[in-house]
Amino acid sequence: MSAESQKQAVAEAAVAEVEADSVIGVGSGTTVNYFIDALADSGKKVEAAVAASEASAERLMTHGIEVVDANSVRELSLYVDGADEVNRHLQMIKGGGGALTREKIIAALSQRFLCIADESKRVTVLGDFPLPVEVIPMARSYVGRKLIEMGGRPDLRKDFITDNGNIILDVRHLDLSQPIARERELNGIAGVVTNGLFAVRPADELFVATDTGVQRFEAA
Ligand code: 5RP
């Protein structure tokens, strides 16, 4: 099964988890695009969605699904999103598409975070995928130096500005063996908006598509 067919399969499985007439959180990325399309095709009506990116908001609206501001909801029953890497504790690296800050806000607002992914995203240890760090532009050099002091190798994501008007540093070679401590430490650097480690608030469930069907995991 190709990665694209795997994404389609987990997206369809996730649609079955959506409660009709609920307000849901919708992430960002190619796997989520399949989810948005599958939700629309299913005919299941949600009250509205909070979207993690302008691109997802636009896709939802194109399908006639209402998009509401995160400030208008107290909590979300379900959040569906992809990941760049996910370990057995359902801690993730996210932000390959640059939507990490809004994704983290939606994750915090959600009772249930369902991660949907193709098989290639499952890892034993997080860190092969460069860790995205969203940074206020005036802090670029300062944050870059701090990341180097921590053992990382930051690269400015070229020609990219986040939906929040910030830059992304993609960081290689950081030791991510203690993801919760690392996530907090990185968020403590002045000028960092947030980083792509989702360990303090991991996913609650993971759907992974394999050649033998969609497998469901809870945190180990
Ligand atoms: C965007 C994300 C995405 O969830 C992550 O990059 C996975 O994307 P894709 O489904 O395209 O592989 O975190 O910021």
Side-chain angles (χ1 to χ4, degrees), residues 54-214:
E54 301 296 334
S56 290
E58 212 167 297
R59 199 174 189 102
L60 285 158
M61 289 187 294
T62 302
H63 283 301
I65 298 171
E66 188 184 349
V67 175
V68 292
D69 189 279
N71 291 303
S72 70
V73 297
R74 195 169 178 83
E75 66 176 19
L76 297 162
S77 52
L78 178 69
Y79 173 38
V80 178
D81 200 357
D84 298 301
E85 284 185 351
V86 53
N87 68 15
R88 69 193 182 95
H89 305 297
L90 308 194
Q91 298 165 326
M92 297 159 282
I93 289 183
K94 293 181 46 54
L100 59 161
T101 298
R102 295 186 187 195
E103 291 172 344
K104 208 170 269 198
I105 294 165
I106 298 177
L109 276 170
S110 299
Q111 281 183 326
R112 180 181 173 209
F113 183 165
L114 170 56
C115 177
I116 53 175
D118 60 274
E119 221 175 355
S120 70
K121 307 293 180 61
R122 289 184 72 207
V123 299
T124 309
V125 179
L126 299 171
D128 275 350
F129 192 90
L131 180 70
V133 180
E134 180 164 352
V135 176
I136 303 281
M138 77 170 278
R140 186 192 67 230
S141 301
Y142 171 75
V143 173
R145 289 195 295 278
K146 287 288 168 195
L147 292 168
I148 290 167
E149 277 171 26
M150 292 164 83
R153 214 188 66 208
D155 284 316
L156 176 66
R157 195 177 292 186
K158 295 250 174 356
D159 302 323
F160 188 85
I161 296 291
T162 69
D163 286 345
N164 313 307
N166 298 312
I167 57 163
I168 298 274
L169 298 178
D170 290 304
V171 192
R172 291 177 174 75
H173 298 317
L174 269 183
D175 178 0
L176 302 183
S177 57
Q178 304 294 326
I180 293 176
R182 189 59 103 188
E183 180 179 349
R184 291 191 169 128
E185 183 185 25
L186 290 167
N187 284 344
I189 302 173
V192 168
V193 179
T194 199
N195 70 86
L197 274 170
F198 282 60
V200 173
R201 201 282 183 247
D204 300 301
E205 285 155 88
L206 169 67
F207 287 3
V208 178
T210 67
D211 285 344
T212 53
V214 173

